[in-house]
Amino acid sequence: MSKTDNILSALEAMLFAAGDPVGVAKLAEVLELDIETVTKMLGHLSATYDERNSGLMLIKIDNKYQLCTREAYSDSVRKLLEIKKNAPLSNAAFEVLAIVAYNKTVTRSFIEQVRGVDCSGSIASLVQKGLIEEKGRLDLPGRPLIYGTTDRFLRCFSLNSLDDLPDLPKTEEVEKISGNDGQTSLFDDEKENENDNKSEEAEE
């Protein structure tokens, strides 16, 4: 086996064993190679899968790489593993997901301020489906949780990063949702309304 083949096999083994996306720097560290070489080998591995129409494919998510099955064989994989298809997201859940994705990190009270209704159910559902996750807490009274999207969200919507999200229509309402008035405005809104939201944020 040539040195190149050995590297490709090692990358394949590591990505298969990891399951989750792995950064190039980590792979390079383990193989004791430079990042440029590993990146080139990953591209070669991906092309190999495509050329032979393999059931596996290599995807890049936010500068990380992951092995996954091709969508064409998803039904067969589900049948083998007896995985039931998840129920489709409701319109409310999609709206919450859009607010989180376009603002990158938000609190529940901010989401509810934008939508005008309680969103605890939609947030819990999105967390359960692995599309959003807790990213920490805001340094305000009550220490409200901050939510952001996950790598699974990027995979489900075929995005490399949140920068690949399509532009939203330039309306006043959408600009507020998309955070075009600046990320700091999100936290300014939190501070301005902290007295009204103290009890709600304390529950979070």
Side-chain angles (χ1 to χ4, degrees), residues 69 71 73-86:
T69 56
E71 186 177 356
Y73 308 111
S74 59
D75 288 341
S76 299
V77 173
R78 288 193 183 97
K79 289 178 182 178
L80 175 64
L81 301 179
E82 297 181 351
I83 298 176
K84 296 181 179 179
K85 291 183 178 180
N86 292 327

Side-chain angles (χ1 to χ4, degrees), residues 11-185:
L11 285 170
E12 185 176 45
M14 288 190 293
L15 291 169
F16 176 82
D20 295 326
V22 182
V24 180
K26 184 62 177 179
L27 295 170
E29 178 186 348
V30 173
L31 293 174
E32 298 181 351
L33 296 170
D34 59 87
I35 292 177
E36 183 179 354
T37 298
V38 173
T39 301
K40 182 178 179 180
M41 291 295 100
L42 287 167
H44 185 56
L45 181 61
S46 178
T48 299
Y49 286 137
D50 293 339
E51 288 170 4
R52 70 185 192 211
N53 196 29
S54 171
L56 299 177
M57 62 184 296
L58 185 63
I59 61 174
K60 182 180 180 182
I61 303 172
D62 211 8
N63 292 321
K64 295 181 179 180
Y65 289 82
Q66 181 179 23
L67 274 182
C68 64
T69 56
R70 290 190 187 276
E71 186 177 356
Y73 308 111
S74 59
D75 288 341
S76 299
V77 173
R78 288 193 183 97
K79 289 178 182 178
L80 175 64
L81 301 179
E82 297 181 351
I83 298 176
K84 296 181 179 179
K85 291 183 178 180
N86 292 327
L89 292 177
S90 65
N91 289 336
F94 266 119
E95 289 178 10
V96 170
L97 189 57
I99 294 170
V100 176
Y102 279 95
N103 284 281
K104 295 187 172 58
T105 55
V106 294
T107 61
R108 192 185 84 181
S109 59
F110 176 78
I111 297 171
E112 293 176 346
Q113 180 183 346
V114 174
R115 297 197 66 241
V117 295
D118 178 81
C119 298
S120 56
S122 295
I123 292 173
S125 175
L126 292 170
V127 170
Q128 185 178 31
K129 292 178 184 298
L131 296 174
I132 65 173
E133 63 184 359
E134 297 175 6
K135 297 287 189 179
R137 290 182 179 273
L138 198 60
D139 189 18
L140 287 175
R143 301 281 292 169
L145 287 169
I146 304 172
Y147 295 94
T149 57
T150 63
D151 287 341
R152 185 175 184 181
F153 165 80
L154 295 176
R155 292 198 302 272
C156 289
F157 290 89
S158 300
L159 301 171
N160 289 326
S161 71
L162 292 179
D163 293 334
D164 293 332
L165 286 168
D167 294 332
L168 292 173
K170 297 299 182 182
T171 65
E172 182 177 350
E173 180 179 358
V174 171
E175 284 178 359
K176 184 177 181 181
I177 294 176
S178 64
N180 286 340
D181 51 349
Q183 183 69 25
T184 54
S185 68

